[in-house]
Amino acid sequence: MLDPLALAVALPLLGALLVTMLPGWSRTLGMLTALATTGVALWLTVTVWSGEGLRSDLGGWGVPLGIGLRADGLAAALVAMANLVALAISINATGYFGAAESSRKFWPLWLLLWTALNGLFLAADLFNLYVMLELLGLSAAALGALTGTREAAEANLRYLLVGLLGSMTYLLGVALLYTAYGVLDLELVAEALTPGPVAWSALALMVGGLLLKSALFPLHFWLPPAHANAPAPVSAALSALVVKAAIYLVLRLWLDLFDGIVTLPAAMLLGLLGAGAVLWGSWRALRAERLKLLAAYSTVAQIGYLFLFLPLLTAAPDGDTRERLLTALVLLALTHGFAKAGFFLAAGLVQKSTGHDRIRELGGAAQSLPAATFTIGLAGVALIGLPPSGTFFAKWILVGQAIALGQWWWALVAMAGTLLAAAYVFRVLARAFNREPTPKCFLTDPRTEIPALLLAALSALGVGLAAQPIAVLLGAGV
Amino acid sequence: MSHEILLTQLLYGSAGLLFFLLGAWSFISHEPLWRKLIALNIMGAGVFHVLVAVAYRGLDTPPDPVPHALVLTGIVVAVSATALALAFGRRLDREAPEHASDAHGGVDDREDGTHA
Amino acid sequence: MSSSNPQALLIPLLLAAIGALLFWAFWSGLTGHEGERLAALALERVPESGASNPVTSVLLNFRAYDTLLELAVLLAALLGIWSLGPAAAPYQPAALLLDSLVGWVVPMLIIAGGYLLWIGGQAPGGAFQAGALLGAAGVTLALSGRPNAGLPGEAWLRVLAALGTLVFALVGLTLMGVGLGFLTYPPALAKWLILTIETGATLSIGATLAAAFLGGRPRTTRPAEP
């Protein structure tokens, strides 16, 4: 009788409305809504996990006339992650904003953003997705500017404009699909789709528009300032959730809607951009002066990893390989969601208590803020990909499948990215644990240090990956 | 399908596509905020043209109501977005930044903080 | 960043190429399809929907969920505008000519809005159109010097802005609670449910548009006379 799909969207919406009308109660109502929505989301996930998949036809009309909601495994996994992260952010926000004016501004927009997230993951209608994308973009941009600084307003205006360009492009794709196929439901369009100019244009427009919103290199330019200048709970939401939603949509379109249309070269292009994102993002993160900027660039890099999977998925035959790759991708997305959110929240605490988030001056943070430092450490483990984090398993599968499918270059990119991630995470931790002023440069004695560095890198990565060839080698001599 | 309907749809829809492309060009090429906003609205108008063109089924047949509803929704969304963007623009036009919230104010280095 | 010469030519060329593909796709889409799309299905089910205007049926019944979220988008924009700062100082109070004109125009706009709301079930019209007229009434009041575009103070304004979406969401949840499904109207009640939702929406849309025109959080102090 009660429909978890519709509830997952209606509850945060109701909360947002109540908080708008009764701003004095925003924290209480906001937390109640957060708990209720997370409860529904988990109920939804468990139902999907133990059964088939959920489907809901709103208004009772059934597709193609009405709008449908759908939760399959992928959607349920992301819904679970998003709602748990959102709950954590909500709890953090009650403390971060306190009872001040910003709290009243934060809660209604935050609950509307939550509505858009759930609605987006559960949507099965192309135009409905457009409305959700717009709601997401508007509330995210407004939330990002809550710090009140000029930089925040500039960065979020840029984010808003880029987002609008993306949605408008997406909408044209939807219009073309309706012109040719006369339906708006994802499944129905997927069935009707045939290769041709309409399919190619729609693919280019819709994925292109969404790539702007996913901040894939080189369309990532709006992300670092927007995420770095937002209040910490908002940065956590932006990096961990909002960007994920756009990537989820790209995935959904690529794998479900345009399944027969996508070509390997197109996927390779996206993979190449992903590689650029991994390398460029990790490099900029290493050079970042501020903790939040580092985290934002790290997000750019992690987004790149997700796109590295696309050429592999497109090249992989249906069945086991595809399943493993998809699992790995989802693992990566989920882990990053949790990790980045935790990182930003901890960074927010650091910024709040020390008044700044400059990495160079983080000295002694471990002593004064042990929990925050430990959080950054744990999040770092997940960002780098040390076992037993989800990232480790995901990268393991990525590298293994890349070699197996003959696209070994992605493995190199993944390894390089991992090394850079290790570098920038340890840079932060080293400053946090160290009371002394830190040395000016990384290498003090190249001749002794570089070989040691290479050996350590080989041990951490090379040998493990070479396990299979080594086994073959050992077997060959027998 | 009748020639008259196809011709009308083609004419109107092509105009829409033209608007979309013009708007995209203007958005990319022009700097001031208000020009970008006008460009976005023209792009939107273009997409709405395409939808309305697709809804046309001849002078004597009622049109397809679904694209019309989509356009109505789209217009409201576009207006909302434009209003928010204009408010941002107004915020940036003010000389001094508003007092920072209880979170912390200024950011020291302007790495990537400046408008390209 | 001023565009250098090669770049100034590159973008239009690129867009022209994309445009060619789009035109080809549009042509192909139009000619490949018989032309019915969703029209036949929608027009067939209109009598059961509670409205005889097909667009209203689609907006408020078949695809009501979209409309609900669209109202949420409107609200999000307003909340965003409010969070960015206070509204601009009001315009100077209107002189006699404008003032008396406004005295005629605004009531007419309100009546016209009410008419559009009612007639929306049978003819072109409906909540958004009516709300736009009410918003225009608010804009007219603002332009003629009224401090808050004739809108109530912040507390009531918040209620007004959220009202439409609230009524809509509550109707949906109640219908789900009684077992029919979210936003599934029983055919007998459909007309009245649609009218109720539309009335709330009209008030919200009008208030939101007028408040958005003001550009920021409503001012609480009265302006000094010139």
Side-chain angles (χ1 to χ4, degrees):
Chain A
M1 192 176 85
L2 282 183
D3 176 9
L5 296 172
L7 270 180
V9 178
L11 277 180
L13 179 59
L14 193 62
L17 296 168
L18 290 174
V19 170
T20 307
M21 296 196 298
L22 306 166
W25 292 74
S26 40
R27 273 201 302 174
T28 323
L29 288 172
M31 269 317 298
L32 284 174
T33 314
L35 287 166
T37 314
T38 313
V40 168
L42 290 176
W43 168 31
L44 194 159
T45 313
V46 168
T47 316
V48 173
W49 184 65
S50 55
E52 283 270 311
L54 288 171
R55 177 94 212 197
S56 174
D57 290 314
L58 297 175
W61 297 103
V63 293
L65 186 58
I67 300 176
L69 294 177
R70 185 231 292 124
D72 61 359
L74 176 61
L78 284 164
V79 162
M81 184 270 282
N83 281 266
L84 285 172
V85 171
L87 181 62
I89 292 176
S90 305
I91 299 175
N92 175 285
T94 50
Y96 187 87
F97 289 111
E101 184 61 33
S102 330
S103 181
R104 297 168 177 223
K105 295 184 198 173
F106 170 79
W107 282 102
L109 284 168
W110 165 236
L111 291 172
L112 284 174
L113 191 143
W114 198 333
T115 312
L117 276 175
N118 279 350
L120 198 146
F121 288 129
L122 298 173
D125 180 280
L126 287 174
F127 187 77
N128 188 228
L129 278 171
Y130 167 71
V131 181
M132 292 298 182
L133 281 172
E134 290 286 355
L135 183 59
L136 191 63
L138 287 190
S139 35
L143 279 171
L146 278 186
T147 49
T149 63
R150 199 193 160 80
E151 288 85 7
E154 268 182 40
N156 281 284
L157 176 57
R158 188 179 313 132
Y159 170 38
L160 182 63
L161 290 176
V162 169
L164 289 175
L165 180 66
S167 328
M168 211 46 88
T169 314
Y170 171 87
L171 188 60
L172 184 62
V174 174
L176 283 177
L177 283 178
Y178 185 76
T179 309
Y181 302 110
V183 279
L184 291 168
D185 182 69
L186 261 172
E187 273 179 30
L188 291 178
V189 177
E191 279 168 30
L193 206 65
T194 51
V198 177
W200 299 326
S201 315
L203 174 65
L205 287 170
M206 292 165 81
V207 171
L210 287 170
L211 284 182
L212 272 171
K213 290 173 167 286
S214 321
L216 178 64
F217 179 88
L219 301 170
H220 68 287
F221 55 88
W222 56 266
L223 192 148
H227 288 200
N229 283 309
V234 175
S235 304
L238 291 177
S239 259
L241 303 177
V242 176
V243 172
K244 284 304 170 316
I247 298 178
Y248 159 81
L249 270 183
V250 174
L251 206 62
R252 183 63 81 186
L253 294 180
W254 199 268
L255 296 177
D256 277 354
L257 188 60
F258 292 109
D259 201 15
I261 314 292
V262 290
T263 55
L264 195 53
M268 284 290 196
L269 175 63
L270 288 183
L272 202 62
L273 296 178
V278 169
L279 297 172
W280 177 246
S282 305
W283 175 247
R284 290 304 302 261
L286 190 56
R287 314 268 304 156
E289 297 290 329
R290 295 172 48 215
L291 200 53
K292 288 172 84 172
L293 207 55
L294 181 148
Y297 273 113
S298 164
T299 302
V300 172
Q302 298 287 334
I303 293 169
Y305 277 111
L306 295 175
F307 278 95
L308 284 183
F309 279 90
L310 276 184
L312 297 174
L313 278 167
T314 313
D318 250 327
D320 245 8
T321 321
R322 230 170 172 193
E323 289 296 311
R324 298 192 75 212
L325 281 170
L326 205 53
T327 313
L329 196 155
V330 173
L331 266 179
L332 198 54
L334 294 184
T335 316
H336 178 246
F338 287 117
K340 194 44 67 66
F343 194 104
F344 264 115
L345 294 181
L349 182 59
V350 168
Q351 191 170 15
K352 219 172 175 182
S353 48
T354 59
H356 69 87
D357 67 337
R358 283 186 291 277
I359 298 179
R360 201 161 275 172
E361 294 163 30
L362 271 183
Q367 280 82 356
S368 49
L369 299 167
T373 316
F374 189 56
T375 307
I376 294 180
L378 280 179
V381 164
L383 288 175
I384 300 172
L386 299 173
S389 67
T391 316
F392 170 74
F393 293 114
K395 286 191 186 178
W396 184 256
I397 297 177
L398 171 67
V399 168
Q401 291 299 333
I403 298 177
L405 287 169
Q407 300 179 20
W408 48 269
W409 44 88
W410 306 129
L412 291 179
V413 171
M415 289 195 279
T418 309
L419 278 175
L420 286 168
Y424 65 69
V425 169
F426 288 136
R427 179 172 161 243
V428 173
L429 289 176
R431 292 292 203 306
F433 278 102
N434 190 353
R435 278 196 178 278
E436 305 303 311
T438 42
K440 287 210 190 308
C441 56
F442 186 52
L443 293 174
T444 45
D445 186 0
R447 211 138 40 112
T448 52
E449 280 168 324
I450 291 186
L453 199 55
L454 285 176
L455 284 175
L458 265 177
S459 74
L461 299 162
V463 178
L465 294 169
Q468 178 72 321
I470 291 177
V472 172
L473 178 66
L474 291 172
V478 174
Chain B
M1 192 163 64
S2 118
H3 266 358
E4 184 258 332
I5 296 179
L6 183 59
L7 202 60
T8 314
Q9 288 183 321
L10 210 55
L11 205 60
Y12 214 67
S14 305
L17 290 176
L18 206 61
F19 283 145
F20 182 84
L21 294 165
L22 274 176
W25 170 76
S26 174
F27 183 89
I28 297 173
S29 319
H30 294 132
E31 260 311 301
L33 170 65
W34 56 273
R35 288 205 78 161
K36 288 198 193 283
L37 284 178
I38 293 178
L40 277 174
N41 276 287
I42 292 183
M43 285 176 79
V47 180
F48 301 152
H49 268 64
V50 171
L51 282 170
V52 169
V54 166
Y56 180 65
R57 297 194 307 152
L59 283 173
D60 301 319
T61 336
D64 185 348
V66 175
H68 286 192
L70 300 184
V71 168
L72 274 173
T73 308
I75 292 175
V76 174
V77 167
V79 165
S80 313
T82 308
L84 183 61
L86 283 171
F88 266 103
R90 213 175 132 253
R91 160 73 187 81
L92 288 174
D93 272 346
R94 268 184 262 143
E95 284 312 285
E98 215 178 17
H99 73 275
S101 69
D102 51 318
H104 8 300
V107 167
D108 276 328
D109 54 311
R110 294 175 65 84
E111 197 176 358
D112 292 284
T114 48
H115 206 321
Chain C
M1 182 165 73
S2 59
S3 44
S4 50
N5 258 344
Q7 196 168 1
L9 212 48
L10 183 63
I11 295 175
L13 279 179
L14 200 60
L15 285 173
I18 297 175
L21 175 63
L22 291 179
F23 281 112
W24 180 30
F26 186 58
W27 164 259
S28 157
L30 276 183
T31 49
H33 202 275
E34 322 81 60
E36 277 313 312
R37 301 186 181 89
L38 285 177
L41 185 55
L43 292 169
E44 189 186 305
R45 309 292 287 267
V46 163
E48 309 162 31
S49 66
S52 48
N53 175 6
V55 178
T56 304
S57 305
V58 175
L59 264 183
L60 274 121
N61 198 335
F62 306 147
R63 297 185 68 96
Y65 180 60
D66 264 350
T67 311
L68 171 65
L69 287 156
E70 168 197 356
L71 290 174
V73 171
L74 206 48
L75 181 63
L78 182 64
L79 289 169
I81 293 173
W82 277 351
S83 76
L84 285 170
Y91 291 97
Q92 60 180 7
L96 182 63
L97 189 56
L98 181 57
D99 218 26
S100 21
L101 189 63
V102 166
W104 282 96
V105 166
V106 169
M108 282 204 291
L109 281 172
I110 297 178
I111 294 175
Y115 171 73
L116 276 183
L117 169 62
W118 172 254
I119 205 67
Q122 298 91 44
F128 292 99
Q129 295 83 338
L133 283 186
L134 289 184
V139 170
T140 313
L141 287 173
L143 288 175
S144 65
R146 266 55 168 203
N148 264 330
L151 293 167
E154 183 166 342
W156 279 110
L157 188 51
R158 281 173 169 265
V159 174
L160 256 185
L163 184 66
T165 327
L166 186 65
V167 168
F168 212 151
L170 286 178
V171 166
L173 286 169
T174 315
L175 288 170
M176 177 165 70
V178 300
L180 285 168
F182 190 68
L183 289 178
T184 310
Y185 311 142
L189 290 178
K191 176 173 179 195
W192 299 108
L193 284 175
I194 290 182
L195 200 56
T196 314
I197 293 173
E198 283 206 294
T199 312
T202 306
L203 293 172
S204 271
I205 295 169
T208 308
L209 288 176
F213 178 77
L214 290 175
R217 267 193 317 276
R219 291 177 162 249
T220 45
T221 54
R222 314 205 88 247
E225 288 295 324

